[in-house]
């Protein structure tokens, strides 16, 4: 088989298989990941069981943990002060394991200022408290548009704020992970912490939504 | 370099990725050359450029939350109550004013 003939064959072959490649985006990265993972296991850096446990731990985290933290801050001003001063320690008080995470900073929404978190460089997110981020948080559309037209993006999430409210987009570009503390909805006076936590959705802690109305 | 809250700072208009070397930079393009104000000091953290190459990240760099007006970042957008903060290492900041 001549080189030229071989080249023609490969060309035809690639075309025939394009749909398969499209079904699995970037298969080269999947192969690279598998090769590196198997090498690290073979060299004893970690075991397959370690990886499984880590995935299980990540999947066990959910926005419900963040909701408990926010609800506690709503009912306990001292806790709120500690949360705003050191969110990692305050999360630890409620049994959230933050030992392996980056520094977490809690930002309080007020009638004057609404925070909305984005990571324009990648997808930094307070995973230890909220679990894995939603797909849209990692999308290039959200990352690019949140900084440029935040009010429009918020409106697309169904969150319309009065014109006078400052929207502060928080780009987590470095070692901090940001947790938004939404405002406590009115009409919830006297509610238990547990009941309040039910109003705190994931998006309200990213800042693309408000806490739910009672 | 150390800064205090309220300091007016300019992000260096520096493009190391354009010099042909492999670099790891955590200063977004849209902030290069822009002017903001230091909001708070966040602590000292390992140099990401060094850490990305398997280095020890030393010496650590000061990290600052810097606040910008949206209209200063995106010319042509209307000035309104819209701000943005980013966390920037001190080797990217120059005090001005």
């Amino acid at each position: 088989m001549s080189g030229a003939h071989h080249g023609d064959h490969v060309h035809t072959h690639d075309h025939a298989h394009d749909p398969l490649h499209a079904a699995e985006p970037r298969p080269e990265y999947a192969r690279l990941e598998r090769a590196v993972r198997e090498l690290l296991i073979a060299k004893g850096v970690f075991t397959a069981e370690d990886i499984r446990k880590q995935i299980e731990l990540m999947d066990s985290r959910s926005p419900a943990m963040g909701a408990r933290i926010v609800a506690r801050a709503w009912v306990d001003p001292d806790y709120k002060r500690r949360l705003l001063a050191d969110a990692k320690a305050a999360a630890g008080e409620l049994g959230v394991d933050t030992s392996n995470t980056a520094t977490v900073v809690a930002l309080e929404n007020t009638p004057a200022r609404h925070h909305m978190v984005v990571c324009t460089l990648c997808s930094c997110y307070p995973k230890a408290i909220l679990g894995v981020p939603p797909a849209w948080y990692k999308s290039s559309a959200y990352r690019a548009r949140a900084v440029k037209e935040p009010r429009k993006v918020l409106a697309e999430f169904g969150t319309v704020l009065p014109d006078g409210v400052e929207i502060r987009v928080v780009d987590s570009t470095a070692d901090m992970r940001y947790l938004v503390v939404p405002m406590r909805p009115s009409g919830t006076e006297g509610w238990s912490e547990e009941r309040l936590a039910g109003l705190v959705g994931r998006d309200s802690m990213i800042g693309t939504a408000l806490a739910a109305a009672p | 370099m150390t800064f205090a809250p309220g300091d007016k700072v300019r992000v260096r208009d520096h493009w190391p990725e354009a010099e042909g070397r492999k670099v790891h930079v955590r200063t977004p393009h849209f902030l290069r050359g822009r002017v903001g104000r230091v909001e708070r000091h966040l602590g000292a953290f390992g140099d990401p450029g060094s850490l990305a190459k398997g280095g020890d990240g030393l010496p650590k760099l000061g990290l600052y939350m810097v606040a910008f007006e949206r209209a200063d970042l995106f010319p042509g957008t209307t000035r309104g109550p819209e701000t943005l903060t980013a966390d920037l290492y001190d080797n990217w900041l120059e005090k001005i004013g």
Side-chain angles (χ1 to χ4, degrees), chain B:
Chain B
M1 181 75 77
T2 54
F3 304 96
D7 281 356
K8 201 171 175 185
V9 289
R10 177 180 284 115
V11 182
R12 289 173 63 204
D13 195 3
H14 177 48
W15 299 84
E17 54 275 82
E19 290 165 16
R21 292 175 291 124
K22 276 205 165 186
V23 292
H24 179 68
V25 175
R26 300 212 56 92
T27 303
H29 290 184
F30 72 99
L31 296 178
R32 312 257 176 105
R34 303 299 184 187
V35 173
R37 275 188 195 281
V38 171
E39 184 85 10
R40 48 168 122 167
H41 178 226
L42 298 166
F45 293 88
D47 177 353
S50 160
L51 294 172
K53 290 178 187 159
D56 59 11
L58 300 175
K60 286 188 174 186
L61 301 173
L63 185 66
Y64 293 86
M65 178 193 273
V66 181
F68 301 85
E69 294 283 328
R70 183 181 67 129
D72 291 338
L73 302 177
F74 303 105
T77 53
T78 50
R79 198 163 282 275
E82 280 135 6
T83 56
L84 175 136
T85 68
D87 300 340
L88 302 169
Y89 298 96
D90 59 9
N91 58 349
W92 276 89
L93 301 173
E94 300 163 334
K95 190 170 172 177
I96 55 170

Side-chain angles (χ1 to χ4, degrees), chain A residues 60-101:
Chain A
S60 73
R61 292 170 169 146
S62 83
M65 295 168 108
R68 282 173 53 221
I69 292 169
V70 170
R72 173 67 60 89
W74 283 348
V75 301
D76 182 344
D78 283 335
Y79 181 78
K80 187 166 94 177
R81 260 191 293 280
R82 294 199 296 279
L83 176 66
L84 296 176
D86 182 349
K88 213 168 141 172
E93 283 183 46
L94 299 190
V96 179
D97 177 12
T98 53
S99 52
N100 268 329
T101 189

Side-chain angles (χ1 to χ4, degrees), chain A residues 131-155:
Chain A
V132 293
W136 56 259
Y137 184 83
K138 299 184 272 186
S139 72
S140 46
Y142 177 73
R143 288 159 49 204
R145 294 185 57 221
V147 295
K148 198 168 183 187
E149 43 184 14
R151 217 169 276 272
K152 201 171 163 192
V153 170
L154 280 180

Side-chain angles (χ1 to χ4, degrees), chain A residues 49-205:
Chain A
E49 171 72 356
D50 291 334
I51 298 175
R52 190 199 61 72
K53 278 185 180 161
Q54 196 58 39
I55 293 170
E56 195 174 59
L57 174 66
M58 186 51 70
D59 287 347
S60 73
R61 292 170 169 146
S62 83
M65 295 168 108
R68 282 173 53 221
I69 292 169
V70 170
R72 173 67 60 89
W74 283 348
V75 301
D76 182 344
D78 283 335
Y79 181 78
K80 187 166 94 177
R81 260 191 293 280
R82 294 199 296 279
L83 176 66
L84 296 176
D86 182 349
K88 213 168 141 172
E93 283 183 46
L94 299 190
V96 179
D97 177 12
T98 53
S99 52
N100 268 329
T101 189
T103 309
V104 183
V105 175
L107 299 169
E108 185 186 19
N109 282 348
T110 67
R113 180 184 282 168
H114 178 92
H115 297 88
M116 170 183 177
V117 182
V118 66
C119 174
T120 60
L121 295 176
C122 44
S123 57
C124 297
Y125 190 76
K127 287 181 188 161
I129 293 176
L130 299 182
V132 293
W136 56 259
Y137 184 83
K138 299 184 272 186
S139 72
S140 46
Y142 177 73
R143 288 159 49 204
R145 294 185 57 221
V147 295
K148 198 168 183 187
E149 43 184 14
R151 217 169 276 272
K152 201 171 163 192
V153 170
L154 280 180
E156 288 170 22
F157 275 101
T159 304
V160 179
L161 297 169
D163 287 346
V165 175
E166 176 191 339
I167 295 178
R168 169 160 286 191
V169 177
V170 178
D171 190 355
S172 48
T173 50
D175 301 83
M176 305 291 137
R177 299 294 172 269
Y178 289 98
L179 177 76
V180 174
V181 181
M183 286 198 290
R184 178 173 177 167
S186 53
T188 59
E189 294 73 16
W191 280 36
S192 71
E193 241 177 275
E194 199 183 355
R195 201 171 165 211
L196 286 168
L199 301 176
V200 185
R202 176 195 68 200
D203 293 358
S204 74
M205 293 178 281

